Amino acid sequence: MLTENSILEGVQNIIRGYPLALKQLDNRLFGIVRADESQKESEAIETVSGQVVDNEGETLPGVNILVMGTTTGTSSDADGNWELNVPSLQDTLVFSFVGFQRQEIPINGRTQIDVTMQPQTYSGEELVVVGYGTQRKETLTGSVSSVGGNELQKTPVTNTSNSTWW
């Protein structure tokens, strides 16, 4: 006796090995379509958006936002706003920005996600930045001058060579 399931299994066996897929069009109506069309339709695209700010509430432009495990991503605009098409509202987003802690945030079905980035402090050995790379202070030879943040804050300048801290 033929049943609906045995007929569907038979059709699937016939089209196996071809770039075809069986698609349910209605309650009892099925069709054979190209496999890539069937796959595109099954990949639901959802839109998630939000705003990125720092811990003081200031917007952060240029924050990288990626869907974890993919190359799908975007970055925040000049006002910290962002929008991203994701395959599923169950994915996880990764937020990263230089000087701030990387954050992995599950979407959990939300379409609006506002994020507050936390500053990241680095500790370790003191490094000296030179024009073409970095060196440890103890192995450095030549003339050295150190400038701290306090000295640079005394006189705001657009170029450190114009500063009068020395």
Side-chain angles (χ1 to χ4, degrees):
M1 181 167 131
L2 288 176
T3 65
E4 183 177 308
N5 286 340
S6 64
I7 293 171
L8 292 177
E9 288 174 16
V11 172
Q12 286 176 333
N13 285 334
I14 292 169
I15 64 174
R16 187 172 290 130
Y18 295 97
L20 301 172
L22 191 61
K23 179 180 176 187
Q24 186 167 1
L25 303 172
D26 200 359
N27 188 24
R28 295 180 51 97
L29 181 64
F30 293 84
I32 298 173
V33 296
R34 288 185 14 210
D36 57 341
E37 289 177 14
S38 174
Q39 183 179 6
K40 286 178 188 172
E41 290 176 11
S42 68
E43 294 175 0
I45 299 294
E46 304 286 346
T47 302
V48 181
S49 61
Q51 186 177 50
V52 185
V53 297
D54 64 13
N55 61 342
E56 296 177 359
E58 296 293 321
T59 59
L60 290 174
V63 175
N64 294 314
I65 302 118
L66 286 174
V67 177
M68 182 179 276
T70 72
T71 57
T72 303
T74 189
S75 60
S76 59
D77 66 14
D79 297 319
N81 297 314
W82 58 275
E83 183 176 287
L84 180 62
N85 291 329
V86 297
S88 167
L89 292 179
Q90 300 309 313
D91 285 322
T92 298
L93 298 178
V94 179
F95 292 78
S96 61
F97 192 58
V98 174
F100 290 85
Q101 295 175 4
R102 173 187 154 140
Q103 292 190 38
E104 296 178 4
I105 300 177
I107 299 173
N108 290 336
R110 299 175 290 174
T111 57
Q112 176 73 28
I113 300 175
D114 295 327
V115 177
T116 301
M117 300 291 286
Q118 298 300 321
Q120 182 170 16
T121 56
Y122 298 96
S123 61
E125 296 181 34
E126 186 174 350
L127 296 178
V128 176
V129 178
V130 294
Y132 53 87
T134 58
Q135 293 179 319
R136 294 179 192 273
K137 191 171 185 176
E138 62 266 11
T139 61
L140 181 66
T141 58
S143 177
V144 176
S145 180
S146 295
V147 180
N150 292 335
E151 289 92 353
L152 291 176
Q153 287 179 348
K154 290 178 185 173
T155 309
V157 293
T158 58
N159 186 336
T160 55
S161 65
N162 296 335
S163 181
T164 59
W165 55 266
W166 54 74

